[in-house]
Amino acid sequence: MITTQTFVFVLFLVSLPFSTFAAPPSSDSTYESFVQCFSDKTKSPQAQITDNVFSRTNPSFSSVLRAYIRNGRFNTSSTPKPTIIVTPRSESHVSAAVTCSKTLNFLLKIRSGGHDYEGLSYISDKPFFILDMSNLRDVSVDIADQSAWISAGATLGEVYYRIWEKSKVYGFPAGVCPTVGVGGHISGGGYGNMLRKFGLSVDNLIDAKIVDVNGQILDRKAMGEDLFWAISGGGGASFGVVLGYKVKLVPVPETVTVFRVEKYMDSGAVDMVHKWQSVGPKTDRNLFLRMLIQPATRKKVKTVRATVVALFLGRADEVVALLRKEFPELSLKKENCTEMTWLQSALWWDNRVNPTQIDPKVFLDRNLDRTNFGKRKSDYVVSEIPRDGIESLFKKMIELGKIGLVFNPYGGKMAEVTVDATPFPHRNKLFKIQYSVTWQENSVEIEKGFLNQANVLYSFMTGFVSKNPRNAYLNYRDVDIGVNDHGTNSYEEGEVYGRKYFGGNFDRLVKVKTAVDPDNFFRNEQSIPTLPSKA
């Protein structure tokens, strides 16, 4: 079953050559060298540092590593482990971690929340350190200024809770899964169920702080508009370590409405999905209608279930009247709707039972171990899929049996922002598709079967989605669309996935990358490459 939650998945390793570096020393001497360097840079005694620098021999190493891995697949004995994990508690710690990693010629992987579908923020088959930002989780809300400073290691749930503590009529447009880390979410664009009203998370940024490749701490003014633009949807980890963002809060009504309506193939699902394409992206911008399409068995017959999951920034009577007129195929009734506060709606979207009765402090819970395995892919739809296309899709999903789809409508504010205002280029699309398959068993054969389902359905959808390039969403990481080993063909390899994620904005991202990190220190399997040297 697909839920509105998402977790990290499928390991994919590519070689990151260190041909320009000397061979790294042994892990014991590396740890000693790092701690000495870290102590020097932070002017802290080494005894104070050991609580934040973990070697593999540290008894806490495994629990620190596992704490932000949202999938048991990345907690196997064969999964490559970092030589050191650094858990900074101050901006100066982050600066020192960058400088010392560079000095020791180690790759640095930056992790804010662990919701990384391909594990690129904490996996490598080359010697590497992890910079785990989870201790940097301050959320400072200023209602008078209608803004908040959010540290990169905060979770979305913590952000929503801290805003709610100060005000019941402000929110922030970001994701529906509360355990996602802010650093990756916002730097990759950040979207949620208020995007048609307020746009992406990055459409509501005021300022940011980043540690650059030289260990300098820069705000928006110091980094300049090019770098600020790049980390507002181009992914932070290609350019430095994002410390946090200053965001603009948005007004939310005291009462919002949520509802869920499902139909099966024999009760109008095809008509509902087909009509949704002309309603979801064009209706009142206070309304977000997510569509889930899942294979199901009903009365011992294989079928497809289509479910509309909705947030309306207003009262139930208003949305029922609106959709009676615009979307009769949905058959929405007042009894389908529940009115609640905006924060309670965030709990509801997180699949919490009885959200009006739950203490919102559950959003502060970080003690989460995930055991699911899975794969996610993405697509964008430019023109409506014809009714017979929907029918053929349903048949294919029944044939495959496990993989589901999530349709997320755009329109509204999204279509009003120019495609080059931020690195996120998909503004004018009708909707985004997420391919979603999840399984419980830790088995290579079972995994192969599920990954094959994802690939078969993705191939089947080719004629219905964007082309030249076939677009994808950065925060739905998918190594199938291209990877980079950062060798002599780094730019060419980066362009393959870079055009899919960023379209024409890829060129500006490469220029910024080349200017701020010319030696490509900040890199992963899908990072922005530097321009090829002219030599």
Side-chain angles (χ1 to χ4, degrees):
M1 172 178 177
I2 303 174
T3 71
T4 50
Q5 288 185 317
T6 48
F7 311 118
V8 298
F9 299 114
V10 186
L11 169 63
F12 187 98
L13 299 178
V14 297
S15 174
L16 296 178
F18 275 66
S19 54
T20 57
F21 301 127
S26 70
S27 58
D28 287 345
S29 63
T30 297
Y31 177 76
E32 291 164 11
S33 300
F34 186 90
V35 168
Q36 180 65 58
C37 175
F38 201 84
S39 173
D40 293 344
K41 296 294 180 187
T42 58
K43 298 180 172 56
S44 307
Q46 292 192 18
Q48 288 181 10
I49 291 167
T50 50
D51 286 345
N52 300 106
V53 182
F54 300 86
S55 69
R56 290 183 188 176
T57 56
N58 189 309
S60 299
F61 179 88
S62 292
S63 60
V64 173
L65 177 63
R66 190 185 68 238
Y68 294 96
I69 293 176
R70 301 279 177 230
N71 184 331
R73 171 133 170 79
F74 292 142
N75 192 35
T76 69
S77 57
S78 60
T79 304
K81 306 294 190 292
T83 305
I84 291 172
I85 304 171
V86 189
T87 58
R89 293 188 179 273
S90 68
E91 294 179 352
S92 64
H93 281 185
V94 177
S95 177
V98 170
T99 304
C100 296
S101 300
K102 197 167 66 160
T103 301
L104 292 171
N105 295 334
F106 269 74
L107 184 65
L108 186 65
K109 294 274 185 151
I110 306 153
R111 179 171 80 174
S112 62
H115 278 245
D116 176 348
Y117 289 154
E118 303 284 12
L120 305 190
S121 58
Y122 50 88
I123 298 287
S124 175
D125 67 345
K126 294 296 180 184
F128 72 108
F129 301 154
I130 289 177
L131 183 62
D132 184 304
M133 301 291 284
S134 58
N135 288 327
L136 298 176
R137 61 175 78 167
D138 291 342
V139 181
S140 178
V141 177
D142 183 342
I143 293 300
D145 189 47
Q146 298 174 28
S147 69
W149 265 106
I150 307 171
S151 297
T155 65
L156 297 182
E158 288 167 345
V159 172
Y160 300 154
Y161 181 83
R162 297 303 174 198
I163 296 171
W164 174 81
E165 273 188 317
K166 296 286 185 72
S167 169
K168 306 302 183 269
V169 292
Y170 283 100
F172 183 66
V176 299
C177 188
T179 54
V180 166
V182 163
H185 183 72
I186 295 183
S187 74
Y191 88 97
N193 55 21
M194 294 199 293
L195 90 169
R196 303 190 63 256
K197 175 80 168 183
F198 298 112
L200 300 173
S201 300
V202 293
D203 297 331
N204 297 275
L205 297 186
I206 299 168
D207 203 344
K209 290 179 87 172
I210 190 171
V211 173
D212 73 2
V213 72
N214 300 313
Q216 293 181 292
I217 299 169
L218 309 172
D219 62 8
R220 179 173 183 171
K221 185 176 179 183
M223 76 178 77
E225 287 304 298
D226 280 342
L227 181 51
F228 181 75
W229 175 87
I231 63 169
S232 302
S238 293
F239 305 97
V241 183
V242 173
L243 294 168
Y245 290 99
K246 185 179 183 182
V247 304
K248 180 173 59 182
L249 302 182
V250 302
V252 293
E254 289 185 27
T255 302
V256 304
T257 302
V258 298
F259 63 83
R260 181 187 304 264
V261 174
E262 61 182 40
K263 292 183 183 292
Y264 290 84
M265 281 179 71
D266 61 356
S267 60
V270 173
D271 289 336
M272 183 175 77
V273 173
H274 182 241
K275 181 65 174 289
W276 173 91
Q277 297 177 100
S278 61
V279 178
K282 295 169 186 171
T283 188
D284 187 319
R285 63 184 58 202
N286 289 299
L287 178 58
F288 180 81
L289 297 167
R290 169 175 279 184
M291 178 71 75
L292 310 180
I293 305 174
Q294 300 153 286
T297 300
R298 192 183 190 211
K299 299 173 184 173
K300 299 184 179 178
V301 176
K302 290 183 178 180
T303 183
V304 166
R305 179 177 63 242
T307 309
V308 170
V309 186
L311 171 70
F312 180 64
L313 299 172
R315 293 278 187 173
D317 285 338
E318 189 182 347
V319 71
V320 169
L322 174 72
L323 292 179
R324 185 181 299 127
K325 178 180 166 188
E326 290 189 352
F327 198 1
E329 294 83 355
L330 188 62
S331 313
L332 182 68
K333 299 179 178 62
K334 177 82 177 282
E335 53 264 33
N336 301 131
C337 300
T338 309
E339 294 182 338
M340 56 183 66
T341 67
W342 177 77
L343 188 74
Q344 288 167 344
S345 79
L347 291 163
W348 184 87
W349 274 81
D350 189 39
N351 294 322
R352 301 282 181 168
V353 179
N354 299 323
T356 56
Q357 310 300 317
I358 290 181
D359 185 341
K361 280 189 175 170
V362 296
F363 273 170
L364 305 181
D365 180 18
R366 284 180 173 242
N367 188 20
L368 301 163
D369 263 344
R370 300 296 187 197
T371 55
N372 286 355
F373 306 84
K375 175 69 178 179
R376 302 293 188 265
K377 300 175 76 66
S378 61
D379 258 323
Y380 283 93
V381 174
V382 181
S383 54
E384 291 179 26
I385 302 170
R387 192 182 188 285
D388 60 357
I390 302 292
E391 288 179 328
S392 66
L393 169 61
F394 280 20
K395 288 174 185 169
K396 177 57 73 172
M397 292 178 74
I398 290 171
E399 175 191 318
L400 293 170
K402 297 292 184 184
I403 187 162
L405 299 176
V406 186
F407 291 0
N408 293 289
Y410 282 7
K413 173 75 170 179
M414 288 292 286
E416 294 170 2
V417 179
T418 59
V419 295
D420 59 357
T422 70
F424 180 93
H426 315 297
R427 302 284 183 173
N428 298 320
K429 306 297 194 295
L430 283 181
F431 59 96
K432 173 174 59 187
I433 298 176
Q434 183 188 65
Y435 300 76
S436 176
V437 62
T438 303
W439 62 96
Q440 311 294 332
E441 306 87 353
N442 185 9
S443 157
V444 173
E445 281 307 306
I446 288 171
E447 178 180 305
K448 276 183 187 172
F450 282 111
L451 295 184
N452 182 62
Q453 287 208 17
N455 290 329
V456 169
L457 191 58
Y458 184 78
S459 176
F460 174 84
M461 291 296 289
T462 302
F464 301 126
V465 298
S466 59
K467 301 171 181 62
N468 302 317
R470 184 172 183 172
N471 295 129
Y473 176 45
L474 179 68
N475 280 356
Y476 291 172
R477 285 283 193 196
D478 179 9
V479 294
D480 299 346
I481 69 170
V483 289
N484 199 330
D485 70 5
H486 298 286
T488 54
N489 296 318
S490 175
Y491 176 81
E492 289 80 6
E493 291 172 358
E495 189 174 23
V496 173
Y497 56 80
R499 297 280 178 206
K500 294 170 184 172
Y501 286 139
F502 304 113
N505 294 329
F506 175 73
D507 299 305
R508 185 178 175 189
L509 288 168
V510 170
K511 286 178 184 172
V512 176
K513 168 71 173 179
T514 306
V516 302
D517 184 20
D519 295 324
N520 198 22
F521 172 72
F522 293 110
R523 66 190 185 278
N524 60 49
E525 292 82 348
Q526 285 193 337
S527 57
I528 300 297
T530 56
L531 282 166
S533 73
K534 301 214 167 74

